[in-house]
């Protein structure tokens, strides 16, 4: 049976649009990440999964520990549902209401860690914790800028995140946390997006690939040194429980750094399109959405319903979903992926009947779940379960 036949057989009773997760591929991808992490625990990035059932499955897999959440309301929800006793919110929070909730809830305060990178964050959290009068200090993690900045800092390669970059800056903020009894510094995080999130092997671009590999290698050396110095300086100020780094594209490299105690990863589970072209790993597409062929404008073209689910980020073609099955379909260059309908051209178009399905992959992993209320879980050629996405549970955090 081909992949497409398997998916068609398992979902024959469903009317598209719908989304599926191939559990075999999902589990193989999880096992691949664990192998690459070489016995350092993987904190699962929930933004790249956005489904409680699948997050639970991942957390039950040996090698995974803890959740990297994307908002504090999400973290409190996951904590109240008992998904994990170790949830790190990877981005700063300025939501005073939810911070107050965290401070008042002893169990949540023992489970959830919030991100800080400046004195204003500390002031705000301290103020809220003092007013809330909770019994436990708020757990905080310092975010470190992991970008590479050659040419004396005139060039920046990597995401614009934290202003904290040096060991001195990190140690000063750590000392500031230590002065505040309502806060407790438990972790450091440095996410090297320029390595973990940039494919070093894009097809048909040998020179660009070589340049990416060169830049990533330089950046890796610079960050490993700086990260080690930062960890040493901050450990002199606080008993850190964890030092988090990396992402799907960098798992083995980040895990190899002695100063790093755990890596983060999520996108590699669904293996979305943007993670296709890396030399160090190959995942199996595990999350797909199916759209129905609704008409045929002419020879060599069919039109499916919907399809315009671009991913966040720079709005270029790389953010579009990709027609996956049957192979041999592409977007019309003038229309792309449309709001309510999408023409698809290519050799496979003439073999499709009205009512057939076309399976697509999303460019980013978790954002698929903002378009669908349910994921149909497929094992072999059987649909074994249907589970809600975050959105399906009425949880649209961002
Ligand atoms: C802080 C942080 N760590 C890790 C990751 C990597 O996640 P993924 O493996 O889903 O790409 C991200 C993704 O943006 C992130 O923001």
């Amino acid at each position: 049976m081909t992949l497409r036949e398997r998916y068609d057989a398992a979902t024959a009773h469903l009317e598209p649009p719908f989304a599926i997760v191939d559990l075999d591929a999902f589990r193989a991808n999880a096992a691949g990440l664990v192998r690459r992490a070489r016995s350092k625990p993987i904190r699962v990035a929930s933004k790249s999964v956005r489904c409680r059932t699948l997050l639970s499955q991942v957390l039950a897999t040996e090698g995974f520990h803890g959740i990297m959440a994307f908002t504090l309301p999400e973290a409190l929800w996951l904590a109240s549902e008992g998904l994990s006793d170790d949830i790190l919110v990877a981005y700063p929070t300025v939501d005073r209401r939810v911070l107050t909730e965290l401070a008042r809830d002893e169990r949540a305060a023992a489970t959830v860690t919030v991100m800080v990178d400046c004195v204003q964050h500390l002031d705000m959290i301290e103020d809220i914790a003092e007013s809330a009068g909770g019994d436990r200090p708020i757990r905080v993690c310092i975010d470190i800028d992991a970008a590479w900045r050659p040419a004396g800092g005139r060039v920046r390669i990597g995401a614009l995140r934290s202003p904290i970059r040096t060991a001195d800056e990190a140690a000063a903020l750590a000392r500031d946390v230590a002065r505040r009894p309502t806060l407790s510094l438990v972790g450091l995080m440095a996410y090297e997006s320029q390595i973990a999130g940039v494919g070093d092997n894009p097809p048909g671009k040998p020179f660009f690939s070589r340049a990416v590999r060169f830049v990533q290698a330089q950046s890796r050396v610079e960050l490993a040194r700086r990260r080690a110095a930062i960890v040493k300086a901050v450990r002199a100020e606080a008993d850190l429980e964890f030092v988090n780094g990396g992402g799907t594209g960098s798992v083995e490299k980040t895990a190899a750094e002695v100063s790093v105690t755990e890596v983060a990863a999520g996108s590699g589970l669904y293996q979305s399109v943007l993670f296709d072209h890396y030399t160090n790993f190959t995942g199996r597409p595990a999350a797909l959405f199916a759209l129905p062929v609704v008409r045929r404008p002419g020879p060599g073209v069919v039109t499916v319903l919907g399809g315009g689910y671009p991913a966040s980020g720079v709005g270029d073609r790389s953010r579009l979903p990709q027609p996956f099955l049957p192979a041999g379909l592409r977007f019309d260059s003038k229309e792309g992926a449309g709001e309510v309908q999408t023409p698809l051209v290519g050799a496979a178009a003439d073999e499709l009947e009205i009512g057939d399905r076309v399976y697509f992959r999303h460019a980013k992993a978790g954002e698929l779940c903002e378009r669908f209320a349910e994921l149909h879980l497929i094992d072999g050629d059987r649909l074994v379960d249907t589970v809600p996405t975050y959105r399906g549970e009425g949880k649209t955090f961002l």
Side-chain angles (χ1 to χ4, degrees):
M1 242 182 177
T2 64
L3 260 191
R4 183 171 165 225
E5 285 165 352
R6 274 212 289 124
Y7 298 152
D8 276 349
T11 62
H13 60 295
L14 300 177
E15 295 294 343
F18 58 77
I20 62 173
V21 170
D22 181 332
L23 290 177
D24 206 36
F26 186 80
R27 290 188 206 111
N29 291 340
L33 289 168
V34 170
R35 258 195 316 277
R36 291 172 57 207
R38 298 200 192 106
S39 76
K40 290 222 173 136
I42 303 174
R43 187 181 286 277
V44 59
S46 65
K47 77 174 181 67
S48 303
V49 179
R50 300 193 202 201
C51 167
R52 260 198 311 148
T53 310
L54 291 176
L55 282 173
S56 298
Q57 280 201 18
V58 171
L59 287 165
T61 308
E62 203 175 324
F64 284 86
H65 172 83
I67 297 176
M68 175 176 276
F70 56 103
T71 72
L72 183 55
E74 179 209 7
L76 292 185
W77 174 55
L78 295 177
S80 72
E81 296 288 343
L83 253 84
S84 170
D85 59 5
D86 180 358
I87 304 177
L88 170 66
V89 183
Y91 316 91
T93 305
V94 293
D95 183 332
R96 300 186 70 96
R97 188 184 56 77
V98 190
L99 281 165
T100 304
E101 222 179 287
L102 171 69
R104 287 193 181 141
D105 180 340
E106 196 174 327
R107 182 161 162 243
T111 302
V112 174
T113 303
V114 296
M115 196 58 64
V116 297
D117 66 25
C118 62
V119 173
Q120 288 92 324
H121 290 152
L122 304 186
D123 289 344
M124 177 192 251
I125 299 168
E126 180 181 46
D127 180 40
I128 290 166
E130 282 173 357
S131 318
D135 292 332
R136 277 185 177 271
I138 303 293
R139 294 164 57 85
V140 302
C141 172
I142 297 179
D143 190 354
I144 306 289
D145 175 24
W148 186 43
R149 300 181 64 178
R154 286 191 296 279
V155 178
R156 160 179 280 276
I157 296 173
L160 280 164
R161 292 194 178 212
S162 170
I164 304 292
R165 184 163 176 86
T166 65
D168 285 350
E169 288 165 349
L173 196 62
R175 275 192 296 279
D176 204 336
V177 176
R179 279 196 288 273
R180 306 175 193 237
T182 50
L183 307 188
S184 167
L185 179 60
V186 298
L188 285 182
M189 182 191 83
Y191 170 53
E192 56 272 52
S193 62
Q194 70 278 16
I195 303 171
V198 178
D200 65 350
N201 200 21
K205 296 184 177 172
F207 297 111
F208 180 71
S209 301
R210 230 177 291 158
V212 169
R213 265 172 248 154
F214 174 78
V215 165
Q216 289 181 337
Q218 302 292 311
S219 170
R220 212 160 36 236
V221 171
E222 185 277 330
L223 180 59
R225 279 197 202 121
R226 187 158 54 85
R227 187 149 45 196
I230 289 170
V231 170
K232 189 168 170 222
V234 173
R235 282 201 187 278
E237 309 294 339
D239 286 332
L240 295 177
E241 291 174 20
F242 63 85
V243 177
N244 181 283
T248 289
S250 75
V251 168
E252 59 280 84
K253 305 269 169 37
T254 309
E257 285 183 35
V258 176
S259 65
V260 171
T261 65
E262 60 172 46
V263 292
S267 302
L269 294 164
Y270 290 162
Q271 185 57 31
S272 49
V273 174
L274 284 170
F275 287 85
D276 273 354
H277 303 299
Y278 286 73
T279 44
N280 49 327
F281 76 100
T282 314
R284 282 168 56 185
L288 311 175
F289 60 94
L291 302 178
V293 173
V294 287
R295 62 177 164 197
R296 181 184 298 289
V301 50
V302 288
T303 300
V304 292
L305 185 71
Y309 310 154
S312 55
V314 286
D316 65 17
R317 297 182 72 82
S318 71
R319 306 286 142 166
L320 292 180
Q322 288 297 312
F324 178 49
L325 296 171
L329 293 171
R330 61 184 191 281
F331 294 121
D332 177 82
S333 59
K334 293 196 198 68
E335 296 199 36
E339 181 183 2
V340 283
Q341 58 171 15
T342 298
L344 297 170
V345 297
D350 289 335
E351 284 150 36
L352 285 166
E353 306 279 345
I354 304 281
D356 280 352
R357 291 94 180 268
V358 176
Y359 296 90
F360 289 75
R361 300 170 61 204
H362 203 277
K364 279 198 167 175
E367 287 180 21
L368 166 74
C369 294
E370 300 300 339
R371 295 288 182 170
F372 293 91
E374 294 174 331
L375 297 173
H376 300 287
L377 308 184
I378 301 214
D379 213 346
D381 60 354
R382 285 185 320 120
L383 192 158
V384 291
D385 207 355
T386 295
V387 297
T389 58
Y390 276 16
R391 176 189 158 172
E393 297 204 66
K395 304 289 185 186
T396 48
F397 295 108
L398 288 179

